[in-house]
Amino acid sequence: MGVTDQRAFSGGLVDLKQGLISRDIFASQEIYEKELERVFARSWLFVGHESQVPNNFDFILSRMGEESVILNRDKNGKLHVFLNSCRHRGMRVCRYDEGNSRTFVCPYHAWGYSDEGKLAGVPKLESGYHNELDRDQWGLIEARLANYHGYLFACWDEETPDFDTYLGDLKFYFDDYCELPDGTHGEWEAFGGTFKWRLACNWKFGAENFCGDYYHNPSHASVDQVILTPAGEPGRHTYDVVTEARDLWKLNVSIRPEGHGARGELFKDDYDYHPTYQNMAVVEDWFRDCFHKRREKLGEKSRWYGHGGTIFPNVSYSNGVQSMGTWHPVSAHETEIWRIFLVPKAAPDEVKDVLRHYVIRYQGPSGLTEQDDMENWLYAHEGARGTISRRYPYNYEMGMGYEQKGWPVDWLGGEVVATEDVSEQNQRAFYGNWAKLMDQPA
């Protein structure tokens, strides 16, 4: 009998009452294959940003679970997400990472599809199919698509609630991420393409880390001693120079039952702009102006300073470093990480240049901070595979019993559960939703 036959996910494998999680969920290929059906096929998955396909007929290749998908903009400007698989024999109809095309033609037997996914051309339609092939029934398979302030999510399952409902109480925190520095929902633009690399660990390690792990900061001790940020002071976060000078709460926020998580800081009292970009007058002036506009627009809610989080199951957003990192499953033992970086489209070139240089030093395969993280995940996954080590669960007890709803201000609201400073409640919420989905047969 396999692991999944012996113990229910919500029982022995994920025991939230005791804060224990079996290492098997990271190392079992059997569990991994069930995840593809029960988690990834049912969830809203991040596929890209609208700025990556700005013009009609533009496309990029993206991923949903293990599968390649095409994100494109058709002749009328409508966005689509298509399974990148010919309906005839399954060959990819697009093999370029990005481009501009009115059609997608399979190189195997030359079935051709329009920018709207319709089957437009079939060789031997008369002599081979005798005009009996119903082309209307054989277009590309299309996913549901949600455009949330320019961030694009897709879902295969018609039974899954709409994206707004799916976000639940994370909406406040993801809205905060989507806002420009001045508090408006203007345009962001992705730059530099998509950074892609593979790592020998399970996809859940990255997702849970960004979901709410403040506890691992010792891993970044060396990075915190160098001058990584544009502030000209030691540290790795753009917001360090601001938050270290303020009286604040540091919060982990778990979103239940959806399994999302957010991290951030809440200033306890009124505060003013703190100079951050020394010796860069244009940049300093722009961010100072944005700060005052944001406080005027948002009022009391401008006290929140988001650090990022994870939208269940596998995309993590980072404030300060404006990026989206997606943990694509490859196998139980391998993850393909995709990360895009964004800058405010209307910002001065000087601002964009400062942010570009910073984010690439911070995250991605060359980023100093993410290199620390990757080493942790590699060895954590190794610890999930050992013959002896797999007999012992991982501990997720931190903060159990000390969660406080609606704390410390009521506008965090809803079913949000928050604890001050360090807690593993976000990870427990993440695995709670994971277990719920895994207990539901496809």
Side-chain angles (χ1 to χ4, degrees), residues 5-69:
D5 298 319
Q6 298 172 29
R7 292 171 288 174
F9 295 102
S10 57
L13 293 175
V14 175
D15 187 347
L16 298 183
K17 291 184 179 180
Q18 297 188 70
L20 303 176
I21 292 179
S22 170
R23 302 187 191 208
D24 287 333
I25 76 168
F26 301 95
S28 165
Q29 184 66 19
E30 179 187 358
I31 289 176
Y32 169 82
E33 290 170 4
K34 283 182 166 56
E35 285 179 328
L36 297 178
E37 285 282 355
R38 301 183 184 186
V39 175
F40 286 91
R42 292 168 170 165
S43 300
W44 284 97
L45 306 175
F46 180 69
V47 292
H49 189 267
E50 64 178 2
S51 65
Q52 295 177 280
V53 285
N55 305 307
N56 292 356
F57 306 115
D58 281 353
F59 71 86
I60 61 168
L61 288 192
S62 188
R63 283 183 58 150
M64 295 177 67
E66 286 188 346
E67 294 173 284
S68 174
V69 296

Side-chain angles (χ1 to χ4, degrees), residues 192-268:
T194 303
F195 291 73
K196 305 175 184 179
W197 68 102
R198 290 197 174 192
L199 193 63
C201 73
N202 188 277
W203 66 272
K204 292 187 286 296
F205 283 111
E208 72 150 60
N209 184 99
F210 279 81
C211 187
D213 192 344
Y214 274 128
Y215 199 41
H216 77 288
N217 281 337
S219 299
H220 302 305
S222 60
V223 179
D224 286 335
Q225 293 174 27
V226 302
I227 299 174
L228 184 62
T229 76
E233 299 182 20
R236 58 193 160 97
H237 296 301
T238 54
Y239 46 73
D240 281 348
V241 70
V242 178
T243 58
E244 288 176 3
R246 304 295 177 219
D247 191 18
L248 51 80
W249 286 287
K250 182 179 287 186
L251 301 180
N252 269 351
V253 183
S254 60
I255 311 299
R256 305 178 185 184
E258 293 85 1
H260 315 307
R263 300 168 288 114
E265 294 171 336
L266 184 70
F267 298 141
K268 291 183 179 180

Side-chain angles (χ1 to χ4, degrees), residues 51-52 188-195 322 339-344 352-353 355-360:
S51 65
Q52 295 177 280
W188 291 91
E189 61 178 1
F191 70 89
T194 303
F195 291 73
Q322 198 77 14
R339 189 174 290 284
I340 64 170
F341 296 114
L342 303 104
V343 292
K352 292 181 180 180
D353 287 342
L355 294 178
R356 286 188 185 110
H357 283 92
Y358 169 55
V359 296
I360 295 172

Side-chain angles (χ1 to χ4, degrees), residues 298-424:
L298 300 181
E300 171 76 2
K301 294 183 180 181
S302 68
R303 291 169 55 199
W304 172 258
Y305 203 111
H307 294 174
T310 293
I311 300 175
F312 185 90
N314 72 321
V315 64
S316 301
Y317 60 96
S318 297
N319 299 71
V321 178
Q322 198 77 14
S323 72
M324 298 288 283
T326 312
W327 320 100
H328 292 295
V330 177
S331 74
H333 309 299
E334 189 171 19
T335 299
E336 186 163 299
I337 306 170
W338 288 22
R339 189 174 290 284
I340 64 170
F341 296 114
L342 303 104
V343 292
K345 186 174 182 178
D349 288 341
E350 292 88 342
V351 171
K352 292 181 180 180
D353 287 342
V354 165
L355 294 178
R356 286 188 185 110
H357 283 92
Y358 169 55
V359 296
I360 295 172
R361 293 197 305 269
Y362 185 97
Q363 285 183 330
S366 64
L368 296 181
T369 302
E370 194 139 39
Q371 288 184 46
D372 291 339
D373 290 335
M374 289 189 285
E375 186 174 34
N376 290 329
W377 305 334
L378 282 169
Y379 287 116
H381 187 76
E382 182 181 284
R385 299 187 68 175
T387 301
I388 303 302
S389 62
R390 286 179 68 178
R391 299 175 184 175
Y392 302 93
Y394 285 138
N395 184 294
Y396 287 78
E397 292 184 63
M398 181 178 290
M400 286 182 64
Y402 292 90
E403 301 92 342
Q404 300 181 55
K405 291 189 177 183
W407 181 92
V409 291
D410 57 7
W411 43 263
L412 291 177
E415 292 300 313
V416 169
V417 180
T419 55
E420 186 174 1
D421 198 17
V422 179
S423 170
E424 290 171 338

